[in-house]
Amino acid sequence: MCSSDLCAIDGVFEEFRSPFFGRTGVQFWWGGFDFAVLLFTGRHLAAPDARGYIMRYDLDAEQLNAGFWPGDDNAPEARFWAYVVPRPDGCEVAPIRPAPAAWVEAISEWILSYEQVRASDDPRRAILDFLNSVYGVAVTNGGWDAAALHYTPPPPAPRA
């Protein structure tokens, strides 16, 4: 993994979030050392009491959170991950693309191996398929209003 990979991932994350009409961001989390894209619908949730301060107030809004994590000593394989808050019913059996992606109940996230993405014919497409299929679960299983959350840019102004 090199810095050009992170730049490429950033471009894919920006492409993914660009049509979303809501609060979004791409950010680097120093504490977990992961690079993430977030989509917030604007709907508030009750903050969970059983989490630490940061996670408690991170989980007080309906959101899709996805990203890249380089791994650590306990889990050395780099991967892409995603989850939806609140957790949609049936998400653990929802079809996620590309085919190697899978739900991991122990961490309540979908996982896609970085190595599988890197070795694919089109890594950009593999990441976009992963992100878009998770977004599809948010819409289908989580009740997100896809039409209301889609941004259509206005037509360009005529040139004088």
Side-chain angles (χ1 to χ4, degrees):
M1 152 99 27
C2 64
S3 62
S4 64
D5 290 345
L6 281 180
C7 289
I9 293 168
D10 178 56
V12 176
F13 285 178
E14 291 291 348
E15 181 180 350
F16 167 69
R17 78 183 190 100
S18 65
F20 187 78
F21 195 74
R23 192 177 82 205
T24 72
V26 174
Q27 54 200 359
F28 184 77
W29 295 90
W30 285 102
F33 214 74
D34 50 352
F35 188 56
V37 57
L38 296 97
L39 308 178
F40 292 92
T41 67
R43 287 187 263 194
H44 295 275
L45 302 172
D49 289 331
R51 303 299 290 263
Y53 180 82
I54 291 174
M55 286 304 291
R56 180 175 182 204
Y57 291 102
D58 178 55
L59 301 175
D60 66 351
E62 189 175 63
Q63 63 184 277
L64 182 154
N65 195 333
F68 169 77
W69 183 64
D72 63 15
D73 290 341
N74 295 324
E77 183 182 353
R79 61 187 174 206
F80 290 89
W81 51 267
Y83 60 87
V84 177
V85 175
R87 179 178 165 170
D89 289 338
C91 66
E92 63 280 352
V93 295
I96 299 295
R97 298 177 320 272
W103 178 261
V104 178
E105 186 63 38
I107 58 174
S108 297
E109 294 178 3
W110 291 280
I111 299 297
L112 175 61
S113 162
Y114 168 75
E115 187 56 35
Q116 291 167 326
V117 169
R118 193 188 66 72
S120 72
D121 291 338
D122 187 347
R124 177 188 149 277
R125 174 57 39 209
I127 298 167
L128 280 174
D129 284 351
F130 180 65
L131 297 172
N132 284 319
S133 60
V134 170
Y135 182 75
V137 173
V139 169
T140 304
N141 298 46
W144 289 24
D145 185 343
L149 295 170
H150 183 80
Y151 176 73
T152 303
R159 296 196 158 216

